[in-house]
Amino acid sequence: MQVGFLDYYSGVLNVREARAALLANNIANADTPNYKAVDVSFNDALAAQLDANQTGNAPNAASSAAYRATGVVGLNGNDVSLDAERVESAANGEAMLGATSFLRQSTGDLVTALRPNPGGI
Amino acid sequence: MGGTDLFDIVGSALTAQDARLGAIASNLANVDSVTPPGQQPYRAQEVIFAASPVGDGADDGGDNNDGDATDGVDVTAAVNADLGVQVAGSVETNAPPVTKYDPGSPYADAQGNVTGSNVSQVDQMVDLIDSSNSYAASVAVLQQASRIDQQMLASFQVS
């Protein structure tokens, strides 16, 4: 079965939501000793999600999570940068809104196409 | 995704930072506390955080060994577990208590020294700034998440 736009956007929104949780978790653990920031690669996670939708497996958006390992590790072994996480979180949220807008537009067109013609022409 | 809601994560962060702010306030309040001879002086409390335990209550249903590059990274279990932060406990710092020569004080010992607390005001203020920065970041995430939720709901509103 081909991936329809509903499947696609459900995958996108699932991955975005999982990523929002991960970023919030990074911020929550900004002062936890020896914590390392975790993130998902959006492309990999989306591919895994669409693959799971195809095969009917339980979707697992976070399966491609990895340590980000870009920050400076502080004296307490923590490499979370609050600023970077907030920027990522904002970008992630806006992308989520964007996906929602596209989904809304697409479903709107679909509903219009399905609607019986009131004029009967 | 993992089993934890974003709002739970932010809530755990706010609770943890609140405990830390409480400890800092207690330390700063006791910065000038003095102790009678023979009693333990006030020692600065430091709150220790821990990430939520890995593998605890994790429904590891989606563990895939499909051989892709990320399978070697052992964070999947962590991600499927509960996210968030919790207070692991608090420790007393082991800096030596400050002693001051003040023979007139009722708490002075035989040599005229008064034992105070071991709180470093500068350390506590730095901790306070760090903690309130983290608190503000968590609140910002909370506000942003609820704004986006609202806008997503509004965009699907049938007019």
Side-chain angles (χ1 to χ4, degrees), chain A residues 77-90:
Chain A
N78 192 306
D79 74 344
V80 176
S81 156
L82 276 183
D83 296 330
E85 299 298 335
R86 279 174 71 170
V87 169
E88 288 291 333
S89 183

Side-chain angles (χ1 to χ4, degrees), chain A residues 49-73:
Chain A
Q49 184 83 26
L50 294 178
D51 196 43
N53 282 353
Q54 291 279 29
T55 54
N57 287 334
N60 184 17
S63 64
S64 52
Y67 292 117
R68 190 184 286 155
T70 53
V72 180
V73 181

Side-chain angles (χ1 to χ4, degrees), chain A residues 6-59:
Chain A
L6 282 175
D7 283 340
Y8 181 75
Y9 281 116
S10 95
V12 169
L13 289 175
N14 271 328
V15 173
R16 288 287 176 203
E17 198 186 353
R19 188 153 183 262
L22 281 182
L23 295 172
N25 189 48
N26 286 342
I27 289 181
N29 284 292
D31 297 316
T32 304
N34 295 321
Y35 180 84
K36 302 287 189 291
V38 177
D39 201 355
V40 287
S41 155
F42 180 76
N43 289 338
D44 292 352
L46 181 58
Q49 184 83 26
L50 294 178
D51 196 43
N53 282 353
Q54 291 279 29
T55 54
N57 287 334

Side-chain angles (χ1 to χ4, degrees), chain B residues 41-67:
Chain B
Y42 182 86
R43 290 183 179 275
Q45 302 280 327
E46 194 176 348
V47 174
I48 306 292
F49 293 161
S52 287
V54 172
D56 240 25
D59 51 337
D60 211 0
D63 198 8
N64 61 342
N65 287 313
D66 51 2

Side-chain angles (χ1 to χ4, degrees), chain B residues 63-135:
Chain B
D63 198 8
N64 61 342
N65 287 313
D66 51 2
D68 59 19
T70 55
D71 269 356
V73 185
D74 193 25
V75 291
T76 310
V79 166
N80 283 334
D82 286 345
L83 298 175
V85 65
Q86 57 190 12
V87 176
S90 70
V91 295
E92 292 186 336
T93 57
N94 54 7
V98 178
T99 57
K100 193 174 64 171
Y101 182 69
D102 184 9
S105 166
Y107 289 154
D109 60 8
Q111 286 79 37
N113 288 323
V114 176
T115 307
S117 72
N118 72 342
V119 178
S120 156
Q121 247 173 322
V122 175
D123 282 0
Q124 295 302 319
M125 288 309 290
V126 170
D127 245 19
L128 179 64
I129 293 168
D130 188 39
S131 186
S132 57
N133 272 343
S134 302
Y135 196 94

